[in-house]
Amino acid sequence: MTTFVQQAACKGHRPSAVVPRRHQSRGALVAQLLRDREVPRFLVAPTGYGKTMLAYEYAEVVFGFSHVFWVNGQSPCFLRDVDEGSFAEALLAVDEHCALVVFEDLPLLLDERAERFSAVIDRLIEHGCEVIVTTTPSRDGLASLQRDRLVLDGADLALSDEEAARNDKGEPTGRRAPFTADEQTPCVQWGTDGVDVVLEGCRHEELPSDLAFVLWLLLALQRGTGQQVASFVGEERAVEAWAFLGARYPFLGIDEGRGAFAALDVPIENLAKAYEGALDDLARAAQGLSRGVLVEQVADQLIAQGDARRAVSLVARCDGRERVAPWLVSRGWSALWGRAAAEFCDAFELVARMRIEDRPTANALMAWASAQVKDARRSLDYAKKVLAVDEVDDRARMTAILACRLQGNATVARRMAAALRAWGEERSPVESERAVAADGESGEPLETGAPAEESVVPAETGLLSARRAQSAALDVLARTSLAADRFDEALAQWCRAWERVSPPLLATGEEAEPWLLAASWVLEALAIREEAAGPALSLEDNARLDILLDFVSASLEERVAWGMPLGFGSLAAAEALERLDAFLEARRTAALVPEVVAALRRAQIEVARAREDYRAMRQRRQPRKPLGTVGPLRNRAAQTVHESWRENASKSLEAPLLSIRLFGALEVRLGDRLLPPSLFGRRKLRLLLALLALNRGRDLTREALTTMLWPSSQPSSAAKNFYRLWSDLASVLSVEGRCPYLVRDRYGCRLDPALFATDVMEFEEITRSLLFGDAPAALGWETLYEKVTGPFAGELLPVEQENETLCAVRDRLNIEMVDSLIAASRRLRVQGEPQGALWFAREALARDETREDSCAALMEAQMAAGQRTAALDTFFTCRTYLSEALGLDPSTQLLVLYQALLEEDPSLIQRAPLNV
């Protein structure tokens, strides 16, 4: 008999390896398990559907864990004992009254091993013992051996309508059936990291390569049809994959009747992280494609179905960096008409410094994207870059001109209007058509002697048709923009351009978006005219307005009918129509139908969120400005006096304050002026300034500095280098020809303490506040936490790893910060602030995972916050590290906390020794 079998016995206690994160009672499923107790029950569902928790609830409710065995199927000891053939007898030898055996997370068993395990189940059933097996669909290999079993699959374990209508606390949410895959997936509905749980399970499913690829494809596309799957793996294999996955993975939302799917809403960032390193193998399963080709083909399908935002994110996160820029240039227009401006800007930031073959087009795209997210400054900057280049295609040039006209001030708008007129004079509509036709045929221009109205342009398809649509779209945007302040002229220009379009544009495609945007400008001019109580419309204008309104209404309704979200142009047109609601009602013209109004509200919410994401992205990528100092209240008066004295001293010497930031990248300011990083390009120059700043204005001898900077050089050579370096630093920090900050006399070298400040001073004040004082109560622990995770999230000059003095200071400051975070966490826990204690403890462990006192502090905070499962995970992670890396056992402090978790005795926490 092995100890593995003995340890599997619960003996009236819940299994130590199974602690529910959020235990949601599922009485209806327990009742299903109770209906037929004489056959083995198999819970076969994807990860995240609560298989283990259902078995846990059954064992607790029916048996109270008495005469219950909980067997970990992932343990190698399980496979060893099954192979020996005496597993059932060993279980019954430990407890002859065995009532229930739960085989949790059964691995894939094949051939003889599957037969042996099936025999174990049969032996236990014959003895009168109940058997429950939990496993995933890809590991369920016992269907042919256990024909009389009861199976609860993913469809059974998915949330019922009643469960989906309530949150994890049992409170009504207001949601109504039919529910989406997100709303019916237990771990997503009842957890905070449910999507990651599902993805982790998908990543480790033991599926054939083509099935694993189809699973990833459906998650990447999120919604679509079976034909999209067939385009990658072929019709025959797609049908098989569709049937297999649809029956076993409910979160894919496969509807076999309609041949469509609506999968779990998985953010691309999470999908990319979960499948990192596996996309190459998955791509080979799709007709031998490379990863880049696969990702771009999936992105093209996403754009075609109206999800340009997801397409751009997919390429940025999953494609190779060298392929991102060409894709953005070639598909950028489609992405921006699909309202993917924020995602486009984010993706462009990844490749902005790389070589881009068509840089003017990329800059034009960025100008238009920045304009969409209301970043006028960046839009103008990129537009000016385009206009500064002589050889630019019409589309990029027109985009830059429109961006400047829409985002610039009155002077810029007038200049761009002149540029638009010049462009229109250079290329009249007919001449533009001839140029497109000539470019698509022999390259020779068409005859220009015929009058405009007699010109005949041959029918065209493919590239030529696309160029004609592009030319017409540029024309209508340019001419409508010029007349946007005069409704009648703008309407006339739009209608004249519309009359020249043949064949009619598809309302659901990208081609309609420029026309809808131009139409929105016309409707905005009409709204301004109506608000100003302008004259009644003429008969001609009424007829033209009917044409425009018919096109806009039909386009919007058709997009919604096809399930397409509103694009950039269609959203602008819908908003303009909504503004004219009273005018349209008085005119008895059809207003927005309810379906379009609902789509409009969804689009407006998405646009607002996208702009917030863009602003957050910009803030993350901008260098942080130094923040003010933080310290206990009792130090405020002295600190204020100190700062006042320093400011007055700098004023008396007529020198701006020198501010030095050493955490993260080196940043030096003279007053409000940021010195260019290029001035500190030499490593020794940075080191000299850092060493002087770290000494806080105290004297350092020349010998000490030379030893720190050139430890292996001869003293005479080091002295010469020092004087040259000192002179260079004085030149960099000079103000009006002199440097008041550097002081060198017969006593030593230093920075004038009255004229400089460094963030290390603020760092030390924060650590003292956390370690000793009443700062959490005085300032609020949230403020201190923002400081710790904001300006001081990084290390002291992390790029300098060779200077021993700087490395020693960096290590000392890291240790001081971790000590302070642990002390603050325990103080907040005692003061009844479990959330603050939890956050500080997590930060301490993130900074140094090797310290047991960090793990202990985190366990205490997690227990105080009611996160018992997380506390157990912390203990096991620490114990594994100590055992495998150091060969040590956990300390008494950790063991006492672990015992408190097992026995649910909070008093043991107070008896745990504190290493403060």
Side-chain angles (χ1 to χ4, degrees), residues 673-689:
R673 181 169 63 93
L674 176 64
L675 297 184
S678 58
L679 296 178
F680 301 91
R682 293 168 54 194
R683 177 172 168 271
K684 294 296 183 182
L685 196 68
R686 297 195 303 269
L687 283 175
L688 176 57
L689 180 61

Side-chain angles (χ1 to χ4, degrees), residues 434-618:
R434 288 171 178 163
V436 171
D439 192 21
E441 295 176 353
S442 63
E444 300 177 359
L446 296 175
E447 294 293 330
T448 59
E453 59 272 17
E454 297 178 4
S455 298
V456 179
V457 180
E460 64 274 325
T461 58
L463 180 61
L464 186 56
S465 179
R467 286 174 176 166
R468 172 177 293 280
Q470 172 185 325
S471 179
L474 292 177
D475 181 64
V476 71
L477 286 171
R479 297 179 183 278
T480 307
S481 173
L482 280 173
D485 55 344
R486 304 183 307 278
F487 163 70
D488 51 352
E489 180 62 22
L491 178 62
Q493 291 290 354
W494 191 94
C495 288
R496 290 188 194 117
W498 178 251
E499 291 169 359
R500 289 191 294 268
V501 177
S502 178
L505 299 171
L506 294 176
T508 57
E510 171 197 341
E511 297 85 355
E513 292 299 317
W515 293 87
L516 288 166
L517 179 60
S520 74
W521 296 343
V522 177
L523 295 175
E524 288 292 340
L526 175 60
I528 295 173
R529 174 191 174 111
E530 290 301 311
E531 290 173 1
L537 299 181
S538 65
L539 292 177
E540 185 178 13
D541 285 345
N542 268 307
R544 287 171 173 170
L545 183 59
D546 286 337
I547 296 173
L548 184 146
L549 291 175
D550 289 344
F551 166 71
V552 172
S553 299
S555 298
L556 296 177
E557 292 172 17
E558 188 171 352
R559 286 189 71 89
V560 174
W562 280 88
M564 302 281 286
L566 299 183
F568 180 66
S570 48
L571 173 59
E575 290 177 331
L577 274 183
E578 188 176 42
R579 185 177 175 183
L580 286 166
D581 186 55
F583 170 80
L584 296 176
E585 184 177 356
R587 197 170 180 268
R588 296 182 179 180
T589 304
L592 296 176
V593 298
E595 293 79 8
V596 175
V597 174
L600 172 61
R601 296 292 175 262
R602 289 194 298 270
Q604 289 172 331
I605 293 173
E606 291 172 359
V607 167
R609 289 177 177 171
R611 288 175 184 164
E612 289 296 328
D613 293 342
Y614 172 79
R615 282 193 283 268
M617 182 269 292
R618 292 290 298 161

